[in-house]
Structures are given as C-alpha cells and as structure tokens.
Amino acid sequence: MEKLTFYAVSAPEKLDRIGSYLAERLSRDVVRHRSGYVLIAMEALDQLLMACHSQSIKPFVESFLHMVAKLLESGEPKLQVLGTNSFVKFANIEEDTPSYHRRYDFFVSRFSAMCHSCHSDPEIRTEIRIAGIRGIQGVVRKTVNDELRATIWEPQHMDKIVPSLLFNMQKIEEVDSRIGPPSSPSATDKEENPAVLAENCFRELLGRATFGNMNNAVRPVFAHLDHHKLWDPNEFAVHCFKIIMYSIQAQYSHHVIQEILGHLDARKKDAPRVRAGIIQVLLEAVAIAAKGSIGPTVLEVFNTLLKHLRLSVEFEANDLQGGSVGSVSLNTSSKDNDEKIVQNAIIQTIGFFGSNLPDYQRSEIMMFIMGKVPVFGTSTHTLDISQLGDLGTRRIQIMLLRSLLMVTSGYKAKTIVTALPGSFLDPLLSPSLMEDYELRQLVLEVMHNLMDRHDNRAKLRGIRIIPDVADLKIKREKICRQDTSFMKKNGQQLYRHIYLGCKEEDNVQKNYELLYTSLALITIELANEEVVIDLIRLAIALQDSAIINEDNLPMFHRCGIMALVAAYLNFVSQMIAVPAFCQHVSKVIEIRTMEAPYFLPEHIFRDKCMLPKSLEKHEKDLYFLTNKIAESLGGSGYSVERLSVPYVPQVTDEDRLSRRKSIVDTVSIQVDILSNNVPSDDVVSNTEEITFEALKKAIDTSGMEEQEKEKRRLVIEKFQKAPFEEIAAQCESKANLLHDRLAQILELTIRPPPSPSGTLTITSGHAQYQSVPVYEMKFPDLCVY
C-alpha cells in the first residue's frame, strides 16, 4: 500500500487506471464471495482516496462509488456495513472542485432501505439500521457541502430520507417531552442506539435547511404521522415538532406553523382526537416560535383556528341533532366529549399564542376575535353560523369569548381607551350577549382583564362586606385625561350593562361577584368625582329596582341585588373616605346584620339562607337613602345635584333587535297601545277640541309624574307579557285610526275666492299627501297653528 500510494501521488494521471483495475477485481471477488479480497480492495481504495486530492481524482471517485454501490447491493450485512463505512469516509472529504454530473439517488434509496431492515437477528438488524442512518448522514453532509446540494432537497429524496429517520426515532421507549432544547446525545449513544443516531441526523438535516427547501423537509413528517396514525396519541408527533422548531433557523419558524395549519385544514373531517392532536402540536410549535418572530402568520393562525372552532361546534351540533337512543346515543356522547377536547385545545392555543404577542399585535387580535363573535341582529361578525342553529351559535359565542379571555389575560394598557376602543366595546357589551348567564360572566371577565391595570382584582375576589378597605392595599394612580374622556363617552354604556346584568333572572352567585368586581374596578381605575356620583346613582337605582320589582324577579335575585349594593357602597364609601357617608353605610349594614341578614352577601349566598316573603314591609332604616348620601357628600364638597335624578339606563337601537326581553324606555315607543287598559279620565278623547284651557292643563305638570310613571310601567308590562298578536293588532288599529283622521282632514269644504292664497302639504311619517289649494277650509275637530 505504501508503494501504491507513493506511485499514485507521484503520477496522479494513473489514478483512473488504478481505480478501474481495483474495481474490476473487487466486483469479481464480491460475486465469488471472497470476502478477504474484498476487504483488501476496499482498504486500498479508501487509502488512495484519502491520500490523493489532485484534479485527476474525479475519475477515481467514480470507480470508488461504483464499488461502494456493489457492496451495498450485496446481501451480506458485513459487506453493506463495509460499503457504508467507506462512503462515510468519502463524505467527510472536502473536494477542491465541484462535481457537475455526480448524483446520489442510488445511495439515498439504498441507505433508506437499510434503515428499515427487518433482519431476523436483532443485533444484525440494529447494525444494518445504524449503517443506513450513518449513510444518510454522509449523503446529507456530502451534498450540502457540494455546490449542487439542492438536488438532495428534492421531494423524491426527502420522501425517503425523512420517514427512514422518523421510523428509527419512533423506537425510543420513553419519548422525550422536555420543554427546552434536548441535550446532544453522547458519542457512545450515537454509535449504539439507532433512535439517538437518527434523531441526531434529523437535527443536522433540518439545521442545514434553507428558505427554499424547508417545506420539502417538513412535509414528509406529516405523511409519516398520518400513515402510522401517530396523531392520537400524539406524544411522538409533539416530540418531532419540538425537534423541528429547535433545529431550524428561527426566521423560518413561520414556515413550519403554516405547514401545520395547512395540514389541519386538510384533515378537518378526521376524527376529533386526530384534529386535537394536530392542534396540540401547533400549540407546542407556537410556544417555541412565540419567543421570537413568527412573521406574517399571526392572523392566519387565528383565522384558521377560529374556522376550525366553528367546524367543531358545527359537528357537535349535528351530532346532538342526529343522536338517538341506545348505542348511537353513547357514540354521540363520546363524540361530543371528543369535540370538546378539540375546542379546548383550540382555545388553549389561541390563548397561549395571544398572550405571548406584543401589545400592539395583541390588541389587533382582540379586535379580530371580537369581530368573529356572532351578535344577533347585526352582520358585523365574519364567522359563518348559518349551519349552527341557536344552540350552536350560543356555543360558538362561549368558545370565542373564552378565547378572548385568554388573549386579554395579562394585557396592560397605559390608557383604557387603548384597551377598550369603541369598536371593541360596543360588540362586547351587545345586549345579545346578555341572553345567557355564562356569556355575561365571560364578558365581565374580559372587561376585568382590560380594566385591571394594577392587579387589584385578586384582592377583590368574592363579594363581601370589607371591614377595612385599607387592609387590601389597593394600588391606584391619578385618573388621566384620556380615562376621564373615556368615561364621559362610554360611562353610560358600562353602567347600563351592569344595571341590566343585575336584573337577569338566570343570574347565579358568580354573576353577582363579577358585577361587584366591575363596580369596584371602575371605582379604582376610572372614577373621578363625577363618576363616583354616577356609580352611587346606579347603586341606588339597583336598590330601588329590587324593592319595586318591576321585572318580577325571584326573591333570591332581589336579595342578591340588595347584597351587591351593600357590598359596593361599603367599598366606595371607604375609597372616597367621606366620614358621614361611611357612617350612614355602616349603620345600614349594622341594622341589616341584626334584622335582615339576607340583604348582606355573607348570608344570602350561603346554601341555606332564609328568604323573606316580601320586601315592602321593611323599614327605611334597612335601605341606603339618597337624601342622606347627598347630605353627607355635599358636606365634603361633592356636587350632589345629580343624585336627586334617578338613574335610567340609556336605550340603544340594538335593544329592539335583541331576542332577550327588551327593557325599553317608554318615551322611545311613541305609540300608545294602552288606550283600553288605563282609566278613561287619563286619556284625552280622540275628538276632544284642543282649547286654551286644554293647553294650560297640559303645561301644568304638577301631579303628572306619578301618572306618567304608572303609564310607563303598564307599557313595559304590556310589551313583556302580552301576546305578540295582540300588540300587533293594537298597533294596526292605531295606524288605521291615524289614516282615517288624515282622510277626514282632506275632506275640505271649499268656497272658491277669485284666486287661491297658497298650497298646503300634509305629511305624516313617511306618507305625504298631495298639496291642495288653500281657500277656506273647515276642520271638524283640529286646530291648526
């Protein structure tokens, strides 16, 4: 070998003939099974290859690779391992000039086949598999260092290499589930364990991937997981994608996420647990990618997840509708539970992804999710709910609000306008989201996440009478101008939501606790003197509504409202620290403790609490009185004129579109449908002549307030309880009466003068009657001014 090596180095032009001769001898020895001569020939080829690096080595390399291929084709495991070792030595040589014609297709196919060896002897099987993995590793190293390395990234090669590596990685008995990047295996493990060696090769392959060939390396992973049904359970799938995310360059992370989203779309009709497994893999990928930049895929991730959330709810609704008794119902129940697993996985992914985004992106995602929430009577949402029905729509509302709750968790905006812009607040406080107690809870919790900028919510948890608020060590800052402007613009909307939320019949204890927390957080974060007065007006209005009970609430709910008012007034009185106010609140609470404990939160929300039969017979000492509150606050410099004006929630157009019972101010109705239900003395006759005395009586408003209040109550009760047909019939009769009156007006007695004095146009609503000449008109019972 020394003489041969010296000769080859001295005369490199002879390498071609040397290689051809050795190849011919080795081919003959392989066929004749002369293993000893084969070993000698390969040793000679290896040493010559390592020693000679001249330009003339290219033809010799062809002979060398031809001989390696001969060894790999043989059925002898020893010769296959020998050929692999020689190829690995060759792969580690850096050639001076690239080879423009050499291809490694055969080696990729052969090494991949060796990775799937099924030899009967376990030791030989392991040896062959290790050789195959090392061979693939050599091909990767050789082609990546070659200028023509792009050939190895072609799909036909990746479809062989990646599944071969995954097949061996799958043999790990205990799948590594570590959060961080797993440590590199030791050299001993690499040589002895095919799984560890395959994982190391897989990492190396991904680490060398670039922008253009990243997808070709990732797609075979999905095919392997699909073929071997490894999404359920998905421990191995999670392990694979952790390796992928930690091995690739950080700027390519969004490519992997896009591929997972695309595969989720492709498998959207698969079993729920398969979809849940893919989503959990996405969660792991996002958890790693969120630490860096995830590129342009932010909205795509959320859009795809929300689309699959809708599909899951739709599948769940269809299963519920198609379920029947017996075994079918059992299958339906299991499917429902599986769909809930999918939904929870989606929400968890949305929440984790959203909570790791920077603030400017998180606010966009909040708006994006809120835009998907279906709101009855509007077309602002962009989610298709045509196939869901009422139950499915409610379900998707809950799911989306839960997602929104997770995204808003931990969000700290400098100003409340940034956290709650009008385009977000309006749909969030939509009346249609008040139809269900769980929806109301989620809306309030989302508001708490955005309002609580100083982490005070945990200190306010649970509704109770706090003996000394100072012990809570509430953190607060001076109200900024932007927050003051926000309350002037949106305060009434917040008050209205709390007011109506307190009067819902399906409230549970948690609803009252969240409503109390809402009032407390507004007081801490957004309250100046004007807002404090408004909040006290709201509390007194809630107390009055519980006493009067126009909504026919159960006694538990009425006492719950009274307890809520007591807890809040106790809190706000200590927050503003007006001694007279605190004294009045403390006195009422003390009397309630002795005479009416069911008006306090510690008692009414216990499991067994005795409820009163009525509230009308209670003494005024049990109630918080407006005049005493006004007197106490006025003495401390507060402007208390507005306390004397009862709080009435503002009415929105959406109230009329909502399916919930509409609590609408009667002034906005503009149609009196109670002409048959109120005393005749209170109703002006349709044919009564309007005279000076009648106008004088109309101007005199003394004594009319109670009459107007009673009339409004009757109208509300009529709209709430009367059948729809009856209301429609009365409205139609009113319209017909108006039409007849206008026709009567137009029946004019005309005495023509020489020329007309003008024209008259009579308009009612959207109907305009034709202009007629004005001569001399007699109106039977109408005075025109």
Side-chain angles (χ1 to χ4, degrees), residues 264-280:
L264 182 60
D265 284 337
R267 305 297 300 271
K268 63 183 179 182
K269 294 185 178 180
D270 280 25
R273 289 187 176 272
V274 172
R275 287 180 280 128
I278 299 174
I279 293 166
Q280 288 168 355

Side-chain angles (χ1 to χ4, degrees), residues 750-760 772-777:
I750 302 174
R751 194 168 58 217
S755 62
S757 59
T759 60
L760 173 66
V772 297
V774 177
Y775 297 101
E776 181 181 348
M777 297 180 291

Side-chain angles (χ1 to χ4, degrees), residues 742-774:
L742 290 170
Q744 185 181 8
I745 291 173
L746 291 174
E747 293 176 359
L748 307 175
T749 305
I750 302 174
R751 194 168 58 217
S755 62
S757 59
T759 60
L760 173 66
T761 299
I762 301 175
T763 304
S764 173
H766 299 289
Q768 181 169 327
Y769 294 85
Q770 185 177 3
S771 300
V772 297
V774 177

Side-chain angles (χ1 to χ4, degrees), residues 130-148:
I130 289 176
I133 296 168
R134 293 180 65 237
I136 288 177
Q137 195 172 30
V139 172
V140 171
R141 288 176 179 175
K142 190 64 179 176
T143 52
V144 166
N145 292 330
D146 199 315
E147 290 186 6
L148 297 180

Side-chain angles (χ1 to χ4, degrees), residues 433-642:
L433 295 181
M434 297 184 70
E435 296 169 0
D436 181 85
Y437 76 94
E438 190 173 355
L439 287 174
R440 296 196 300 276
Q441 291 176 5
L442 290 169
V443 168
L444 290 173
E445 287 178 326
V446 169
M447 286 176 52
H448 296 171
N449 279 347
L450 298 175
M451 282 186 185
D452 186 21
R453 292 170 289 175
H454 298 90
D455 298 321
N456 292 312
R457 186 173 26 162
K459 304 170 185 176
L460 301 169
R461 186 171 291 121
I463 180 171
R464 64 194 188 281
I465 303 296
I466 303 173
D468 190 357
V469 174
D471 293 340
L472 300 181
K473 297 181 180 178
I474 299 291
K475 297 179 182 178
R476 62 185 307 191
E477 296 178 5
K478 186 178 180 181
I479 310 301
C480 65
R481 186 173 58 185
Q482 291 89 340
D483 291 349
T484 302
S485 176
F486 172 84
M487 287 306 293
K488 287 183 178 179
K489 183 177 180 181
N490 302 296
Q492 293 300 322
Q493 196 174 2
L494 296 175
Y495 305 150
R496 174 183 183 276
H497 187 81
I498 294 173
Y499 180 82
L500 298 182
C502 287
K503 299 173 69 173
E504 293 290 345
E505 293 184 0
D506 59 344
N507 278 341
V508 296
Q509 178 179 347
K510 186 177 179 181
N511 289 87
Y512 292 114
E513 291 178 354
L514 293 173
L515 288 163
Y516 163 75
T517 305
S518 299
L519 290 168
L521 286 176
I522 293 174
T523 305
I524 295 169
E525 298 286 349
L526 303 168
N528 53 16
E529 289 189 7
E530 183 179 348
V531 173
V532 167
I533 296 297
D534 284 337
L535 290 170
I536 294 173
R537 286 176 60 218
L538 173 60
I540 297 300
L542 286 171
Q543 176 182 261
D544 294 343
S545 69
I547 297 172
I548 300 172
N549 197 26
E550 293 179 348
D551 300 288
N552 295 319
L553 293 173
M555 185 56 68
F556 169 78
H557 294 74
R558 297 171 70 184
C559 292
I561 294 174
M562 299 291 282
L564 167 66
V565 172
Y568 174 66
L569 289 180
N570 172 71
F571 177 81
V572 73
S573 64
Q574 295 187 53
M575 286 297 292
I576 63 177
V578 176
F581 185 21
C582 293
Q583 185 177 1
H584 171 63
V585 172
S586 300
K587 183 177 180 181
V588 173
I589 292 174
E590 184 180 350
I591 296 173
R592 287 186 178 186
T593 303
M594 294 184 293
E595 300 182 10
Y598 39 78
F599 283 167
L600 298 176
E602 290 84 355
H603 296 271
I604 186 61
F605 295 124
R606 291 191 307 188
D607 292 337
K608 296 179 181 179
C609 178
M610 297 295 295
L611 298 176
K613 295 182 179 179
S614 67
L615 302 184
E616 285 73 17
K617 298 180 180 179
H618 286 81
E619 298 293 333
K620 287 187 177 182
D621 292 343
L622 294 173
Y623 303 136
F624 300 99
L625 302 179
T626 305
N627 58 347
K628 290 192 176 182
I629 295 175
E631 181 181 349
S632 61
L633 293 178
S636 297
Y638 282 80
S639 178
V640 295
E641 291 79 8
R642 293 170 57 246

